[in-house]
Amino acid sequence: MTDRYAVIGNPIAHSKSPAIHAAFALQTGQKLNYTRLEAPLDGFSDCAAEFLAMGGKGCNVTVPFKEEAYRFANRLSARAELAGAVNTLWLDDDGLVGDNTDGAGLCRDLLRHTELRGKRILLLGAGGAARGVIAPLLAEKPARLLLANRSADKATQLAERFSAANLQATGLDALAGQAFDLVINATSASLAGQQLPLPPSLWRLETVAYDMMYGKEETPFLAQAAAGGVAMRLDGLGMLVEQAAEAFYLWRGVRPETQPVLTELRAALGTH
């Protein structure tokens, strides 16, 4: 019998996860069926519970349900517990397990392109996407990790979950005059087609700009970075593939090769 998995979100029609997991399954000889499920904004738990009750083995969780998935799981991995957000669920003999593979996916993709140790990193946003990547970023030993959010209080509350001397928090309005080696957008602004109120002084030629979102065209955040003269601008497609590979490994016990799948997706999108 073919094992069933799904990705749950709202919206979800754009998701590349079914294609990614199908490619992983083909590559590794695993038999599985993977589909998209759009849950009502107030109906994640019912949607996930129904899928699992009908024989589903596990699911990925995307915007805006990662914090709800954290509450839905029976047991949490250490990284999910720390993040307060879950993007990967699966059933084992003891119930429903929740994990967060976003940070592992982000770091693996970033390390293809740049060093993280000793760097000054700015992380924009304080929602579920940011929550999942803080601990893995800190594990890479940056010189500084600054969380910045429209609401400084929300960024401060998030930073307080982690006991790290090199972790600070601030509002977006306090970034002028500060310099960073890497700026990561973990907000949903690009998804909404919006630019963030960021000071022009943030951008330098040698800054690396990374948006967790992706598309056929450069995201609004990466367009801002380009206008500021930033040469290395990276979207989140690589992170998507890497976090999916981590979830696939948790589910199936096999770690797929990610580069061929990423290359195939880039070709389909017409990006480089």
Side-chain angles (χ1 to χ4, degrees), residues 152-255:
D153 287 346
K154 190 174 180 183
T156 299
Q157 288 168 13
L158 180 55
E160 287 171 352
R161 292 180 64 94
F162 305 83
S163 53
N166 57 343
L167 177 65
Q168 293 95 37
T170 190
L172 293 183
D173 57 359
L175 293 174
Q178 301 198 55
F180 299 92
D181 303 297
L182 170 64
V183 181
I184 303 169
N185 179 30
T187 76
S188 59
S190 287
L191 203 59
Q194 299 169 351
Q195 292 193 342
L196 292 165
L198 300 173
S201 59
L202 199 62
W203 309 116
R204 299 173 300 144
L205 174 64
E206 61 272 26
T207 304
V208 177
Y210 191 101
D211 197 335
M212 290 188 186
M213 303 299 164
Y214 66 90
K216 289 182 72 71
E217 308 297 332
E218 226 174 23
T219 67
F221 170 76
L222 294 179
Q224 281 180 277
V230 173
M232 185 177 288
R233 305 183 303 279
L234 307 168
D235 69 16
L237 191 62
M239 175 183 172
L240 177 69
V241 173
E242 293 292 346
Q243 65 80 26
E246 181 77 1
F248 191 91
Y249 174 73
L250 292 170
W251 291 336
R252 312 301 294 183
V254 180
R255 191 173 293 281

Side-chain angles (χ1 to χ4, degrees), residues 79 103-113 242 245-246 255:
R79 55 190 177 184
L106 173 67
C107 289
R108 284 184 191 138
D109 191 39
L110 279 168
L111 289 168
R112 278 196 184 99
H113 305 281
E242 293 292 346
E246 181 77 1
R255 191 173 293 281

Side-chain angles (χ1 to χ4, degrees), residues 23-43:
F24 288 162
L26 185 64
Q27 181 194 119
T28 59
Q30 296 285 307
K31 291 185 178 179
L32 60 86
N33 176 274
Y34 189 108
T35 190
R36 302 178 186 92
L37 295 174
E38 182 168 288
L41 292 176
D42 60 352

Side-chain angles (χ1 to χ4, degrees), residues 8 10 38-50 65 68 72:
I8 303 176
N10 186 328
E38 182 168 288
L41 292 176
D42 60 352
F44 166 78
S45 296
D46 288 344
C47 180
E50 182 181 3
F65 299 125
E68 191 170 348
F72 182 68

